Amino acid sequence: MKLIKLLANLGYGSRKEVQRLIRAGALSDDQGNVLGEGECPPHAAIRFRGAPLDPPFPLLVMLNKPDGYTCSADDPGATVYDLLPARFALRNPVLSPVGRLDKDTTGLLLLTDDGQLLHKIIHPKSSCLKIYHAELDRPLEGHEAALFGSGELALKSDSKPLLPARLEVLGEREALVTLHEGRYHQVRRMFAAAGNHVLALRRVAIGGLRLPADLAEGEWRELTPDERLLIFAGTLGA
Ligand code: URA
């Protein structure tokens, strides 16, 4: 790929802006040699103002989403893109959330610019589980696990019933819910159908990938190769 296109796709500026940057000597290789438009060494050897370039396509990051941030890039309020380097919102192909979390849901959010990977993770046939920790307004009554697991629970205005979901009771008002799909406000609507109300919701795992304990709220990082594999591996006993 040409240097101008590479930099523009990574969000460093429009092609014209990037051309100006290159002409001003902002690009060099890892030996400090200034790069011209016609040169494009391997990605890892390119420096922008002395710093390594942002990661190439395909990018896959995990974010510990805090409360109060939406997953939509065009929301006028705080968005998850505010927690990432500003250039990430300008990448081409675009960096998209892998299944959205509600504004008030916290926890594990993946973002990628790889459309194929995104669809593979969110497609119900991928059997890629999502696990949520829910804190509830009222005590669990005991009927919820059977209701959620029935495969017959139809939420208002949905044409099809939900796929069977697993409920693991952790306390009187606390549970883990494992889903194989991702419908709008699904966990909150499931508990509402069971006569309860979710006070706080956190996604703790996607497939076999758990939210790392050392990833503080608002922090992000790229996945390691092993973590990528975990998304499609194992079911955490769910
Ligand atoms: N279910 C919900 O109700 N909200 C989310 O953000 C995710 C799953």
Side-chain angles (χ1 to χ4, degrees):
M1 192 186 293
K2 292 245 171 70
L3 194 56
I4 292 180
K5 190 168 178 218
L6 173 69
L7 272 282
N9 285 352
L10 291 174
Y12 285 81
S14 66
R15 289 189 185 214
K16 276 215 163 117
E17 286 162 347
V18 169
Q19 192 173 43
R20 254 182 258 129
L21 289 167
I22 295 173
R23 288 184 181 165
L27 276 294
S28 60
D29 67 15
D30 50 0
Q31 304 302 311
N33 303 307
V34 171
L35 295 173
E37 276 173 46
E39 296 167 285
C40 198
H43 196 103
I46 304 176
R47 300 287 179 269
F48 175 73
R49 295 187 175 136
L53 285 190
D54 289 348
F57 172 91
L59 175 63
L60 176 62
V61 301
M62 61 168 124
L63 169 73
N64 185 354
K65 180 189 167 303
D67 188 1
Y69 288 77
T70 63
C71 290
S72 164
D74 349 291
D75 194 284
T79 81
V80 292
Y81 293 95
D82 299 336
L83 302 166
L84 301 168
R87 274 197 296 269
F88 281 15
L90 305 172
R91 286 172 72 105
N92 176 25
V94 291
L95 186 70
S96 305
V98 182
R100 293 183 174 197
L101 292 177
D102 298 337
K103 185 174 180 179
D104 49 356
T105 300
T106 61
L108 182 60
L109 179 70
L110 299 177
L111 296 107
T112 187
D113 55 5
D114 182 344
Q116 276 189 345
L117 176 67
L118 186 148
H119 285 109
K120 201 173 157 200
I121 298 171
I122 63 174
H123 201 283
K125 289 211 171 90
S126 73
S127 77
C128 178
L129 309 173
K130 286 103 192 162
I131 305 182
Y132 295 87
H133 178 271
E135 286 172 37
L136 304 165
D137 189 29
R138 287 184 275 284
L140 289 154
E141 291 176 355
H143 67 289
E144 297 86 352
L147 179 68
F148 292 178
S150 67
E152 287 169 10
L153 175 58
L155 297 175
K156 228 177 169 182
S157 69
D158 279 9
S159 53
K160 278 192 198 158
L162 297 176
L163 295 174
R166 182 173 187 265
L167 179 92
E168 186 184 336
V169 177
L170 299 180
E172 202 186 36
R173 296 163 199 250
E174 193 185 350
L176 288 179
V177 180
T178 302
L179 303 183
H180 297 262
E181 56 190 336
R183 298 201 203 170
Y184 180 67
H185 292 336
Q186 184 169 341
V187 176
R188 294 174 206 276
R189 290 161 76 215
M190 286 166 71
F191 278 107
N196 212 323
H197 175 70
V198 173
L199 294 177
L201 190 61
R202 182 162 47 99
R203 183 152 65 192
V204 294
I206 298 177
L209 175 70
R210 282 203 174 268
L211 178 66
D214 61 354
L215 193 69
E217 277 206 357
E219 283 185 357
W220 68 275
R221 68 166 166 79
E222 274 191 89
L223 273 72
T224 65
D226 283 351
E227 286 171 337
R228 277 177 178 256
L229 294 176
L230 276 176
I231 295 173
F232 300 101
T235 60
L236 297 170

